[in-house]
Amino acid sequence: MILLLFDIDGTLIFTGGAGMRAFSRALHEVFDIRIDGSDVRPDGKTDPLILREILASFDLSGRCRPGTRQEMFALYIRYLEQEMEKARESGRIAILPGVEDFLPAVSSESDFALGLATGNLEDGARVKLEKAGLYGYFKFGGFGSDSEDRTELTRIGIERGMRYVRPDSVDGVFVVGDTPLDVIHGRNAGASVIAVASGRYGVRELQVCAPDLVLSDLREAESIISFMRNGRGSISCNKW
Ligand SMILES: [Mg+2]
């Protein structure tokens, strides 16, 4: 079996800013601060780490206590539901190129099991993917709610995947992500990494981190699937 763990934002979907709006609303309500897009660079980071960095930048680190954090994230999930629903209704959720063909293709292969390795909280991942109509593909995962550290949450996701399929049946683990941090932490967690330049980073920026494969997007499912089965080698699709 091959375990295949996906990042969400910039890899499978763009939420049209819904995630950041929900985060900002919750921050304002709990900490009375206002952020805009320029305050935060969320790419590849976990939700708890993003919160920690924002509070530090407002000199509010002392208020990052467990109870307050829990309150903030409960509100965030409630607002995320609302913002994602608005984004869905207005057609602002973008499913990234190739994803709608790649997910059914790879899930119909009996030697692949699909999961998530994402900095989103588990509930946030569920809300985003449900509203995008993709949630049903993923059977296990590691999340920002498991650990603030992306290597650790990726390891947790892999362990859950191994339990899902039977540990002795696993002969490959791939992480798919769109940022240099996805590549670095995926590799640190012991996975092979496929980087897709469908988020904010280009092919060259991702190549610097030396993933096992860099693609412009997830089109050409058959070539990507056979690359993973072979575990290495060159791929002819998605030339840049
Ligand atoms: Mg991402």
Side-chain angles (χ1 to χ4, degrees):
M1 292 291 291
I2 295 171
L3 301 179
L4 183 52
L5 289 85
F6 291 83
D7 169 62
I8 296 177
D9 302 283
T11 299
L12 298 173
I13 58 171
F14 274 130
T15 66
M20 196 40 73
R21 276 193 301 280
F23 214 88
S24 306
R25 286 174 64 189
L27 273 173
H28 181 241
E29 198 160 323
V30 177
F31 298 101
D32 199 24
I33 53 177
R34 286 199 184 279
I35 54 158
D36 62 42
S38 60
D39 292 325
V40 195
R41 181 112 184 155
D43 305 338
K45 294 178 187 166
T46 61
D47 286 350
L49 180 60
I50 294 167
L51 175 62
R52 182 192 294 281
E53 288 186 355
I54 291 172
L55 292 180
S57 74
F58 281 86
D59 281 327
L60 291 172
S61 296
R63 294 190 55 198
C64 199
R65 290 186 294 267
T68 321
R69 237 171 63 134
Q70 221 175 353
E71 183 194 353
M72 153 79 202
F73 281 138
L75 269 179
Y76 163 65
I77 296 299
R78 191 194 307 166
Y79 293 147
L80 185 63
E81 292 255 13
Q82 297 170 4
E83 296 290 346
M84 284 299 291
E85 182 55 25
K86 277 192 254 174
R88 192 188 65 76
E89 283 169 358
S90 58
R92 277 181 287 120
I93 300 176
I95 298 177
L96 292 169
V99 168
E100 281 172 304
D101 293 325
F102 184 70
L103 291 179
V106 73
S107 5
S108 71
E109 301 289 340
S110 58
D111 54 339
F112 281 87
L114 274 60
L116 297 165
T118 170
N120 281 281
L121 306 178
E122 184 167 4
D123 284 339
R126 176 184 50 76
V127 170
K128 287 181 180 180
L129 291 173
E130 273 177 355
K131 298 290 182 192
L134 302 175
Y135 187 58
Y137 290 109
F138 306 100
K139 307 303 179 197
F140 57 88
F143 304 91
S145 38
D146 292 315
S147 175
E148 185 177 306
D149 177 88
R150 200 173 180 108
T151 296
E152 184 58 23
L153 74 82
T154 304
R155 264 196 211 116
I156 291 169
I158 294 169
E159 278 166 21
R160 289 184 181 139
M162 290 198 164
R163 283 201 296 272
Y164 177 75
V165 297
R166 251 196 29 247
D168 60 359
S169 70
V170 175
D171 38 33
V173 180
F174 282 83
V175 164
V176 185
D178 71 301
T179 70
L181 288 176
D182 297 357
V183 177
I184 292 161
H185 291 285
R187 201 168 41 220
N188 286 350
S192 302
V193 183
I194 297 176
V196 282
S198 48
R200 287 182 223 289
Y201 295 87
V203 163
R204 280 173 209 291
E205 288 169 287
L206 293 168
Q207 261 172 339
V208 172
C209 313
D212 297 84
L213 178 66
V214 188
L215 301 170
S216 50
D217 54 50
L218 289 174
R219 284 180 285 193
E220 307 207 33
E222 290 314 315
S223 311
I224 305 171
I225 289 169
S226 69
F227 173 84
M228 288 189 282
R229 283 207 180 105
N230 296 330
R232 63 194 161 72
S234 63
I235 189 165
S236 61
C237 67
N238 293 338
K239 285 284 182 211
W240 49 86

